[in-house]
Amino acid sequence: MSTSPDTETLGAVRADREPATVEQLEEEGDLAADFLEGLLDIADIDGDLAMDVRSGRAYVTVEPPAGGSVDLLAAPDTVQALQELTRIAVQTQTARFSRLILDIGGSRDTRQRELEKLVDRAIERLEEGASQASLPAMSSYERKLVHDVAADRGFTSESYGEGADRHTVIRRS
C-alpha cells in the first residue's frame, strides 16, 4: 500500500532534484501508464500505452489503437494538463520530483514542428532588422525546445519573465 508524502517531504525532494536512475524512471513510466490507463478507462477512450526512458526522463506515449483515435486528447493544452496531472500522481506515489513527458497521438512531434516554424518566423524578423524577437509564453519543456532550435539555426535565446508569463527572446549570436 502506498502512502502520500507530506508537503514538507515533496518540498525537500524538489529542492534536491537528484538525477533519477534508469530504474526510477522506469518506475515513473509504469506508474504514469497505470494512472493514464485509469483515466482513459473513465473517459471510455481506447489507447495503447508505451513507455521509454530518454535523456533522464520517462516518456509515456498514448497512441490510438488500429482504426481508433485519441485526437480528443491531443490538443496541446489538453496534453499539458494531462501531463501535469500524471506528474503529480507519480510524484505523490514516489515522493520524488518527476520530469515525465507525455505524448498523445504524436502531439509532441506536431508541437516540435510548430515551435520550429515559430522560431523561423522570429528569425525572419531578425533578418529584416529587428534587434530581438520575443516568442509567446510557454512551458519550460517548450522553451528548451525553442532554445535548441534557435541554437541549431545559429542564434542566441534566453528565457525571461516569471511563472506563466515566462517566454523566450531570440537574438543574433
Side-chain angles (χ1 to χ4, degrees), residues 2-140:
S2 163
T3 59
S4 298
D6 59 22
T7 305
E8 206 170 280
T9 303
L10 278 178
V13 170
R14 287 187 183 124
D16 291 341
R17 293 191 186 189
E18 294 179 19
T21 65
V22 171
E23 292 79 17
Q24 289 171 325
L25 293 172
E26 288 172 345
E27 176 190 21
E28 282 184 27
D30 289 340
L31 292 169
D34 290 344
F35 177 78
L36 289 165
E37 188 173 340
L39 284 178
L40 292 172
D41 285 345
I42 290 168
D44 197 27
I45 297 172
D46 290 329
D48 297 325
L49 294 159
M51 196 279 300
D52 191 17
V53 173
R54 296 180 266 161
S55 305
R57 292 178 187 247
Y59 282 76
V60 178
T61 304
V62 179
E63 290 292 338
S69 172
V70 290
D71 290 347
L72 180 65
L73 302 176
D77 289 343
T78 305
V79 173
Q80 187 66 28
L82 287 171
Q83 177 175 290
E84 289 306 310
L85 287 172
T86 306
R87 287 177 60 198
I88 290 168
V90 168
Q91 287 175 186
T92 299
Q93 292 182 36
T94 63
R96 291 187 312 267
F97 180 77
S98 172
R99 296 175 55 217
L100 173 86
I101 298 295
L102 175 62
D103 181 24
I104 299 178
S107 61
R108 292 292 173 181
D109 288 338
T110 299
R111 185 62 178 152
Q112 172 76 28
R113 287 189 301 276
E114 290 170 357
L115 292 171
E116 288 171 357
K117 288 178 186 176
L118 193 62
V119 170
D120 289 340
R121 285 194 301 270
I123 290 171
E124 285 175 15
R125 291 194 310 263
L126 293 172
E127 290 173 347
E128 292 169 356
S131 62
Q132 64 183 30
S134 294
L135 302 182
M138 56 188 72
S139 71
S140 61

